[in-house]
Amino acid sequence: MTMTPDTLIPTKPVAVTVPPRPDHPPIIRAENLSVRYGDHRAFDQVTWTIARGRITALIGPSGCGKTSFLTCLNRLADLVPRCSVAGTLDIDGMDVLSAATDVIALRRRVGMIFQKPNPFPVSIRRNIALPLLDHRLCDRRTVDDHIERTLRAVGLWGEVKDRLNQSAFCLSGGQQQRLCLARALALKPDILLLDEPCSALDPISSGVVEDLIVSLRGRYTVVIVTHNLAQAKRIADDAAFFWLDGGAGRLIEHGPCRSVFENPAHPLTRAYIHGARG
Amino acid sequence: MHDQAISWHAAWPAPRLSARRNPDRFIAITAWLGAIAVTTVFFWIVVDLIRLGGAQLTPAFITNAPTSAGRAGGIGSVLVSTALILGVCLAVSAPLGIATAILLAEFTREGNRYCTAIRRSLDTLAGVPSIVFGLFGYAFFCVYLRMGFSILSGGLTLACMVLPILTRTAEQGLRSVPDEYRYAAAAVGMTRTQTLRQLLLPAAMPGLVAGVVLGVGRALAETAALLYTSGYADRMPSSLADSGRSLSIHIYDLAMNVPGGEPNAYATALVLVGLLIAINATAVWLGERWTHRKLSTA
Amino acid sequence: MSRSRTDRWLLVGLRASGAVTGAVVLLVIAFLLIESWPASRHVGLSRWITDPSWYPTSSAADGRFNLVPMLWGTLAAAGIAVALATPLALLSAVFCRFYAPPTIARFYRRMIQLLAGIPSVVYGLWGLTALVPLIQHFRPPGTSLLAGAAVLTLMILPTIALLADAALANVPGDHLRAAAAAGLSRPGTIRGVVFPAARAGIFTGILLGTGRAIGETMAVLMVCGNIVQTPTSLFDPIRTLTANIALEMAYAMGDHRSALFVSGLALMAIVIALVAMADRIGRGYAYA
């Protein structure tokens, strides 16, 4: 938050919408979505669709509602006291915000990785087994196969296969983050929400995790919040720019990554990308 | 949003009671049943206390002396003995405990051997069963120091018993005073004595008082340690060398040794529980004030 | 007096207070040892277990000193109490944190705190006048192992429940967010994430509760019947080690009195071992 919004906002910001291309059908549709924490508005009136099978990056300064947007998608916002969500949100035909929605089924389909790796305080094996068994995705006889397959998918199998029964906290930060990714992938989700997944990691671990995310393209819909614009540019197909305006976050611009970064339509986007770069 | 509190109850929808063989529903029902059972017993005790003790509880009961071994009359002399026992207990344990707390919190570094030894001995003392304190008090104060069954012996025995909780709470109170106070005092060249008297002790006062209050609560609830130290006499004590029974011993004696003593035992229990609730409320209130202050200075 | 001299005297005073405080426990142990010395010399080691009964006299030669039935009484009452109180207490903590609406949880927690504050002699009085007649109605005489275990259960339930509740409250929000994000069900989260994270605190609570149950005197003294025998059924009257001391100190002389100090020493050793274990597992919980 180094720029002063007053001097940069020429007119009321208007979302510049690029219609979804037919070969990228939307999986997430938000309409007039707003989140408030008590009196504080996290973001206001976001109307947007996110395409299936693509990597979408959310960029913008801190406190403009990007993480809050993510936590709407898997109803994790429910956990925050005095948080209220308004508007409509539809994931693959499921009305996410409805009280009747089965949040457990929703959260199986929409996995999430946090900034700080947060493995469960149990063994490596049990970190993966716990959600698998709890969702009844496999039984006790086949669970070890699932664990191996999942850990191979995140390249962790070779590193941990001899110490599956050790506490997950014995792993390095990067390994823990990959374990968390494996835990999410084990549930065979459709959508993965990544909240600055690399920012707490050293550069090498960060690179490993980034490569993993790229490898998910096509098979999963990935929505990633990142402050690292270079990373967003490297890995994302689509990008969306959030900005804090009048005390609430707003979606300023979204579209294919290249157009947002190289030919931003809105002056705020241009200023942010140039400011953050220079 | 990372450091926001989490509302646990909202994390899951209410368990669906219709679903069969659902562990969530099973635990929900068991937890509610367990809570209802505990609550029922709680109200059973409270209702019994009020029903069986409430009728006797008059102003005269508080002030009159017990007659006919406590079956009739009041608890006037018992209250006086109790107050004297607590007074002796506090007069010894509060200065000792607070001084030890100051030593532990302000004058030594982590890992100092002398302090580790004191801490360890306090931890051990905290685990000694109260009847064992009774044995010790009897052998040491009553017999060895020739104090006999007296208010003094009882109070001193209780003082040993409450030292750990009093010291630990007072120490936490002192530790909650922000270090800025100490730096500021050192910067203007105050001596440690001055700093302590003019800054730290006033700032830590709620914590120190909370420690004393918790100690009083523990002492007031105690029976076994007093059986063979302060004795049973129910007459009005004329000095600290007299034997005097506390409220708790009065309850015990009326319930076990005096046929027909139960109504007055319940009335005394009601007084004792009332006092303890008042004391606990004070401690909670002080604790809250202390946290508020901590937040406002942080 | 110069400034630094005041400081020096202050430190001397504080050190002296600290020394007195630290010396109390040594004094307690020393007097227990001194007082139990005659009996341990005259009775020896094996007779505490092999004597045919507990019939102590002031000289060890004519008396019988078998402590085992009372040890069983203590262990049975405390064991049953811990076995009953632990699940109820854990259920209470889980109820407060995961199932009860916030208002009810607050009320319930306040109630458990009140239960924790009721003195043992009041529990004893209530047990004697409410529980014992109830048990007597089914199986005379009423004063029994069952009554003692029931009262002890009530007394240690709040200890364990409050410590378990505090341990659950201390589970980092990260774990909970992770569990929610993985879509774990409530039972899955409790069993798989919350209990492993709160294990130390819960275990500390159970150990402290056990210590309290073993060391408790008044409540068991009032409801257990105090007959020296190894219990064979829940409805048998029993006498615990603590109750034995409280009953017999009034008239015990010589080796008999000394024998009571021996049992006190044994009790202290058991409880201190439990507290030390609890302290090792969860530092800082011991005074809650």
Side-chain angles (χ1 to χ4, degrees):
Chain A
M1 282 290 290
T2 49
M3 288 172 289
T4 51
D6 299 337
T7 54
L8 282 168
I9 299 176
T11 54
K12 187 102 182 130
V14 181
V16 181
T17 318
V18 180
R21 290 178 16 215
D23 51 331
H24 302 303
I27 183 167
I28 301 171
R29 299 166 200 267
E31 227 167 286
N32 293 326
L33 194 66
S34 307
V35 166
R36 14 170 94 238
Y37 303 118
D39 298 329
H40 170 69
R41 289 177 297 161
F43 64 84
D44 243 359
Q45 302 286 329
V46 168
T47 300
W48 185 24
T49 58
I50 294 175
R52 186 188 297 271
R54 283 163 71 89
I55 299 178
T56 304
L58 270 55
I59 57 173
S62 309
C64 64
K66 305 184 300 292
T67 299
S68 297
F69 180 80
L70 282 197
T71 58
C72 285
L73 300 179
N74 64 352
R75 287 270 299 267
L76 216 59
D78 290 5
L79 269 67
V80 182
R82 307 205 313 143
C83 172
S84 63
V85 183
T88 54
L89 182 60
D90 174 298
I91 294 181
D92 220 6
M94 184 193 255
D95 180 6
V96 173
L97 301 181
S98 154
T101 301
D102 180 355
V103 289
I104 288 178
L106 170 73
R107 288 172 188 156
R108 191 205 53 80
R109 293 188 54 191
V110 185
M112 184 162 183
I113 311 294
F114 298 82
Q115 177 175 11
K116 190 168 155 258
N118 55 1
F120 297 138
V122 290
S123 69
I124 296 168
R125 179 200 305 275
R126 198 144 163 69
N127 256 282
I128 314 272
L130 197 59
L132 277 174
L133 293 172
D134 200 57
H135 286 280
R136 307 221 175 108
L137 290 182
C138 63
D139 55 32
R140 295 194 179 276
R141 279 171 297 133
T142 55
V143 72
D144 279 341
D145 299 339
H146 278 81
I147 291 171
E148 180 177 345
R149 213 173 313 143
T150 319
L151 288 174
R152 280 191 195 283
V154 296
L156 209 51
W157 178 250
E159 296 163 51
V160 304
K161 66 172 188 289
D162 300 323
R163 44 178 177 147
L164 285 175
N165 290 322
Q166 279 180 18
S167 162
F169 293 120
C170 299
L171 299 175
S172 74
Q175 288 173 323
Q176 288 187 19
Q177 194 64 300
R178 280 187 282 155
L179 180 66
C180 291
L181 193 58
R183 186 176 67 193
L185 292 179
L187 297 179
K188 303 203 166 49
D190 302 322
I191 301 171
L192 275 175
L193 311 175
L194 312 177
D195 186 6
E196 299 182 49
C198 300
S199 65
L201 307 180
D202 65 82
I204 293 178
S205 312
S206 172
V208 173
V209 172
E210 190 180 310
D211 290 346
L212 260 173
I213 297 170
V214 171
S215 75
L216 302 174
R217 193 195 315 266
R219 288 179 293 153
Y220 303 92
T221 305
V222 177
V223 185
I224 175 170
V225 168
T226 177
H227 282 132
N228 183 341
L229 291 184
Q231 184 184 51
K233 212 171 150 185
R234 274 199 302 276
I235 66 176
D237 303 307
D238 295 319
F241 173 60
F242 280 67
W243 181 258
L244 194 66
D245 169 43
R250 280 178 194 283
L251 175 60
I252 301 295
E253 175 167 359
H254 59 84
C257 195
R258 175 173 298 207
S259 88
V260 171
F261 274 95
E262 285 168 14
N263 189 18
H266 197 284
L268 275 172
T269 320
R270 200 173 311 134
Y272 180 75
I273 286 167
H274 286 272
R277 190 189 281 159
Chain B
M1 93 149 262
H2 292 283
D3 35 22
Q4 263 164 347
I6 285 193
S7 139
W8 293 25
H9 305 279
W12 298 273
R16 275 177 297 175
L17 296 182
S18 56
R20 292 193 144 225
R21 297 189 42 179
N22 174 351
D24 197 26
R25 168 175 166 246
F26 174 75
I27 298 179
I29 293 175
T30 323
W32 274 97
L33 287 180
I36 290 171
V38 173
T39 314
T40 310
V41 175
F42 173 76
F43 278 106
W44 185 3
I45 295 177
V46 170
V47 167
D48 269 3
L49 268 178
I50 294 172
R51 187 173 55 98
L52 298 171
Q56 281 77 22
L57 198 58
T58 57
F61 182 78
I62 305 288
T63 52
N64 286 357
T67 52
S68 165
R71 278 185 209 92
I75 52 169
S77 56
V78 178
L79 275 173
V80 172
S81 299
T82 309
L84 288 176
I85 293 171
L86 287 184
V88 171
C89 163
L90 278 193
V92 176
S93 60
L96 258 186
I98 291 178
T100 309
I102 294 173
L103 181 73
L104 293 178
E106 300 293 328
F107 284 87
T108 44
R109 281 182 220 100
E110 263 324 291
N112 175 305
R113 256 202 218 146
Y114 186 60
C115 286
T116 314
I118 294 179
R119 277 216 181 84
R120 181 129 324 149
S121 69
L122 280 175
D123 286 347
T124 313
L125 206 58
V128 176
S130 54
I131 187 76
V132 175
F133 274 109
L135 282 176
F136 160 74
Y138 173 75
F140 184 62
F141 296 117
C142 299
V143 178
Y144 186 76
L145 296 183
R146 293 162 202 252
M147 294 178 186
F149 283 165
S150 65
I151 288 174
L152 205 55
S153 308
L156 290 173
T157 308
L158 289 189
C160 299
M161 206 182 85
V162 302
L163 259 182
I165 188 163
L166 201 153
T167 309
R168 188 53 68 96
T169 317
E171 188 191 341
Q172 281 166 358
L174 279 164
R175 286 192 188 280
S176 76
V177 177
D179 273 338
E180 283 75 14
Y181 283 40
R182 298 179 182 93
Y183 300 146
V188 298
M190 284 167 83
T191 64
R192 302 186 82 168
T193 318
Q194 283 172 324
T195 316
L196 202 60
R197 223 178 45 205
Q198 293 171 7
L199 280 177
L200 299 180
L201 288 185
M205 198 45 85
L208 302 185
V209 178
V212 172
V213 167
L214 283 176
V216 171
R218 177 74 59 92
L220 196 54
E222 185 47 48
T223 317
L226 290 176
L227 277 175
Y228 296 107
T229 53
S230 73
Y232 277 79
D234 64 359
R235 62 179 181 276
M236 183 64 83
S238 55
S239 80
L240 293 184
D242 269 3
S243 165
R245 63 165 65 167
S246 69
L247 286 170
S248 50
I249 292 202
H250 192 55
I251 298 170
Y252 167 67
D253 197 47
L254 284 179
M256 292 292 282
N257 304 333
V258 181
E262 270 138 28
N264 273 1
Y266 264 105
T268 315
L270 205 53
V271 173
L272 180 58
V273 171
L275 281 173
L276 283 169
I277 290 176
I279 284 174
N280 271 334
T282 316
V284 168
W285 178 72
L286 284 168
E288 267 162 19
R289 259 189 50 182
W290 167 25
T291 352
H292 274 291
R293 225 242 341 278
K294 231 166 75 180
L295 288 179
S296 62
T297 49
Chain C
M1 212 186 274
S2 86
R3 295 162 52 135
S4 63
R5 269 185 56 194
T6 332
D7 272 6
R8 205 174 312 145
W9 280 111
L10 174 74
L11 193 56
V12 169
L14 293 180
R15 285 238 168 99
S17 312
V20 174
T21 305
V24 170
V25 77
L26 299 180
L27 206 61
V28 172
I29 293 173
F31 264 83
L32 288 178
L33 284 174
I34 293 171
E35 294 288 334
S36 50
W37 177 242
S40 20
R41 218 183 35 184
H42 298 146
V43 181
L45 259 182
S46 59
R47 281 182 59 196
W48 302 108
I49 300 165
T50 55
D51 266 12
S53 64
W54 175 255
Y55 190 75
T57 51
S58 54
S59 97
D62 336 315
R64 293 173 194 155
F65 289 88
N66 189 353
L67 285 174
V68 173
M70 290 182 283
L71 188 63
W72 278 125
T74 293
L75 292 181
I80 294 172
V82 171
L84 287 177
T86 302
L88 258 182
L90 294 188
L91 214 52
S92 290
V94 165
F95 173 76
C96 271
R97 291 283 158 199
F98 287 96
Y99 286 92
T103 347
I104 293 183
R106 210 164 333 151
F107 166 80
Y108 190 75
R109 205 169 288 135
R110 194 46 55 84
M111 189 189 83
I112 298 276
Q113 283 165 354
L114 277 176
L115 271 178
I118 295 181
S120 55
V121 70
V122 175
Y123 276 112
L125 171 66
W126 180 77
L128 185 65
T129 54
L131 284 185
V132 168
L134 197 69
I135 298 172
Q136 189 181 23
H137 185 72
F138 295 102
R139 274 283 195 99
T143 48
S144 57
L145 171 61
L146 179 62
V151 171
L152 281 181
T153 305
L154 278 180
M155 292 184 62
I156 63 172
L157 173 95
T159 311
I160 306 178
L162 289 174
L163 284 167
D165 184 64
L168 294 194
N170 279 335
V171 172
D174 274 349
H175 292 337
L176 237 54
R177 258 189 288 269
L184 290 194
S185 63
R186 190 162 11 197
T189 308
I190 294 170
R191 218 186 33 185
V193 181
V194 173
F195 272 12
R199 201 173 35 204
I202 292 173
F203 206 53
T204 303
I206 296 173
L207 283 176
L208 287 180
T210 312
R212 198 172 165 200
I214 290 176
E216 175 51 37
T217 310
M218 299 318 292
V220 290
L221 173 64
M222 291 168 85
V223 303
C224 283
N226 300 320
I227 293 173
V228 184
Q229 57 178 348
T230 304
T232 51
S233 99
L234 276 176
F235 299 96
D236 282 352
I238 56 154
R239 183 188 288 192
T240 64
L241 285 172
T242 50
N244 184 49
I245 297 172
L247 285 167
E248 297 190 352
M249 266 307 282
Y251 57 86
M253 306 287 281
D255 285 337
H256 179 195
R257 202 184 82 160
S258 182
L260 296 181
F261 276 87
V262 170
S263 58
L265 205 59
L267 268 174
M268 181 166 161
I270 298 173
V271 175
I272 285 178
L274 282 172
V275 171
M277 233 154 92
D279 197 48
R280 257 207 131 105
I281 292 170
R283 282 224 144 262
Y285 284 102
Y287 290 82

